[in-house]
Amino acid sequence: MSRKLPRPQRLAKKLLAIRQRLGLSQTAMKERLGFAGHYGHISAYELGRRQPSVLVLLAYARIAGVHIDDLVDDEVELNPFGVKI
């Protein structure tokens, strides 16, 4: 029996907040993540239109200094760089 897991509802907002807190453009964020894809993927992540891979989420978490579960768990308030989101 297959069970579909719910998608994180606050992930997009958290990813956007991390980029904005860093003061980066989407292109600069793509480069900071070491992401080979098109910078439009960053926009799609931030708008909730596309789900990032685990490796991309791990890169976001490392950049922000948070645990990866802080990004995907809607019950957890994100606090990158000491700023509550």
Side-chain angles (χ1 to χ4, degrees), residues 70-83:
D70 294 342
L71 296 176
V72 297
D73 188 343
D74 288 332
E75 300 294 320
V76 175
E77 291 294 322
L78 187 61
N79 192 12
F81 324 107
V83 176

Side-chain angles (χ1 to χ4, degrees), residues 10 13-14 17-18 21 76-80 83-85:
R10 298 178 57 219
K13 182 178 179 181
K14 291 177 180 183
I18 289 169
R21 180 68 176 117
V76 175
E77 291 294 322
L78 187 61
N79 192 12
V83 176
K84 191 173 182 178
I85 297 172

Side-chain angles (χ1 to χ4, degrees), residues 28-83:
M29 187 66 183
K30 176 190 89 74
E31 292 169 3
R32 181 88 180 258
L33 291 168
F35 183 56
H38 190 271
Y39 75 90
H41 286 116
I42 302 300
S43 175
Y45 298 154
E46 294 175 354
L47 294 171
R49 294 184 183 149
R50 180 179 206 134
Q51 293 292 303
S53 71
V54 171
L55 293 176
V56 171
L57 287 174
L58 182 59
Y60 268 100
R62 286 181 174 161
I63 289 169
V66 298
H67 295 281
I68 195 168
D69 55 323
D70 294 342
L71 296 176
V72 297
D73 188 343
D74 288 332
E75 300 294 320
V76 175
E77 291 294 322
L78 187 61
N79 192 12
F81 324 107
V83 176

